[in-house]
Amino acid sequence: AQSVTQLDSQVPVFEEAPVELRCNYSSSVSVYLFWYVQYPNQGLQLLLKYLSGSTLVKGINGFEAEFNKSQTSFHLRKPSVHISDTAEYFCAVRTSNTGKLIFGQGTTLQVKP
Amino acid sequence: NAGVTQTPKFQVLKTGQSMTLQCAQDMNHNSMYWYRQDPGMGLRLIYYSASEGTTDKGEVPNGYNVSRLNKREFSLRLESAAPSQTSVYFCASSEPRGSGSPLHFGNGTRLTVT
């Protein structure tokens, strides 16, 4: 069975600073990887996804993530954050054979002025 | 386009009461899902339906039942609510498994069981 671990429950950062949100996964079969964002009192919105091909994936709002198969990681990065990026971020993995999407525990990004 | 619609948005139940959470999608997706979200635990899969007529257990199915009424609708039923089922429930839909397509989420149902 697959699993996802987000290594940081909270990440405080100052506005315009770079940020990295870490995600590791485990699976015995090939996977698709996703990052979702959840703003307060809202549903989840897709940030980006990795299906195959280039390991560097660009998403919305200036976010990008890099798939590292040897380290089974899919870390999310942004070079310069804004106050509006304050939200909860979820990493998720979906295997091609089951279709189930399993989420990590979430990381709260707190951008301070 | 409505996307994924969940009803109700809020609900308060007493222990032992039953209720059904409704979900409908208008994107002609085959797969539908029910998740619950609890602080510090992310989203946990309760049940999912790969296609009309099929349902499978997820990570935390105990205390819940589901019905895939047709391609559009996927309901979640609590037969005898317990305080441990206080949570925010999200319904989602996607293209069939193996496609790599992302899930599209509804806005959630906030359920409190007293």
Side-chain angles (χ1 to χ4, degrees):
Chain A
Q2 71 268 34
S3 66
V4 182
T5 302
Q6 292 183 242
L7 300 167
D8 306 292
S9 60
Q10 293 188 354
V11 174
V13 63
F14 287 105
E15 193 173 18
E16 298 183 6
V19 71
E20 178 179 80
L21 306 183
R22 298 180 293 168
C23 173
N24 286 93
Y25 70 93
S26 66
S27 176
S28 58
V29 299
S30 60
V31 298
Y32 305 120
L33 296 159
F34 304 83
W35 275 99
Y36 284 84
V37 60
Q38 184 181 34
Y39 298 104
N41 300 314
Q42 294 187 26
L44 279 75
Q45 178 183 358
L46 180 69
L47 267 181
L48 50 78
K49 61 183 179 181
Y50 171 79
L51 304 183
S52 64
S54 174
T55 57
L56 184 62
V57 179
K58 294 188 182 299
I60 62 171
N61 300 339
F63 284 93
E64 62 181 32
E66 186 159 17
F67 171 59
N68 188 319
K69 188 174 182 179
S70 63
Q71 298 186 5
T72 60
S73 67
F74 190 55
H75 300 333
L76 181 70
R77 302 186 184 99
K78 186 170 183 178
S80 175
V81 296
H82 302 288
I83 295 290
S84 58
D85 292 323
T86 295
E88 190 155 19
Y89 292 79
F90 293 95
C91 182
V93 60
R94 187 180 189 189
T95 59
S96 56
N97 60 340
T98 69
K100 295 181 184 180
L101 186 68
I102 302 300
F103 285 85
Q105 301 91 331
T107 297
T108 301
L109 176 63
Q110 301 164 325
V111 182
K112 305 175 182 180
Chain B
N1 291 332
V4 179
T5 303
Q6 292 182 235
T7 56
K9 293 184 179 180
F10 301 93
Q11 183 71 49
V12 178
L13 292 178
K14 293 184 178 180
T15 297
Q17 287 185 318
S18 63
M19 78 160 295
T20 300
L21 281 63
Q22 306 287 353
C23 175
Q25 52 93 7
D26 62 3
M27 294 172 284
N28 203 36
H29 286 161
N30 284 300
S31 300
M32 297 187 73
Y33 308 77
W34 277 105
Y35 288 89
R36 60 178 288 172
Q37 183 179 23
D38 303 289
M41 305 190 74
L43 279 79
R44 292 179 292 170
L45 182 63
I46 305 172
Y47 271 95
Y48 77 109
S49 172
S51 61
E52 184 179 354
T54 67
T55 60
D56 287 289
K57 294 179 179 179
E59 302 167 89
V60 288
N62 291 343
Y64 305 95
N65 286 301
V66 291
S67 295
R68 183 72 183 268
L69 304 171
N70 47 55
K71 192 172 185 178
R72 289 186 66 248
E73 299 172 287
F74 189 39
S75 62
L76 178 71
R77 183 160 179 84
L78 287 69
E79 290 291 352
S80 179
S84 61
Q85 294 177 306
T86 293
S87 188
V88 181
Y89 291 85
F90 287 98
C91 178
S93 70
S94 77
E95 291 299 326
R97 67 186 188 192
S99 69
S101 294
L103 270 61
H104 298 261
F105 285 85
N107 287 329
T109 296
R110 188 173 297 273
L111 175 66
T112 301
V113 183
T114 61

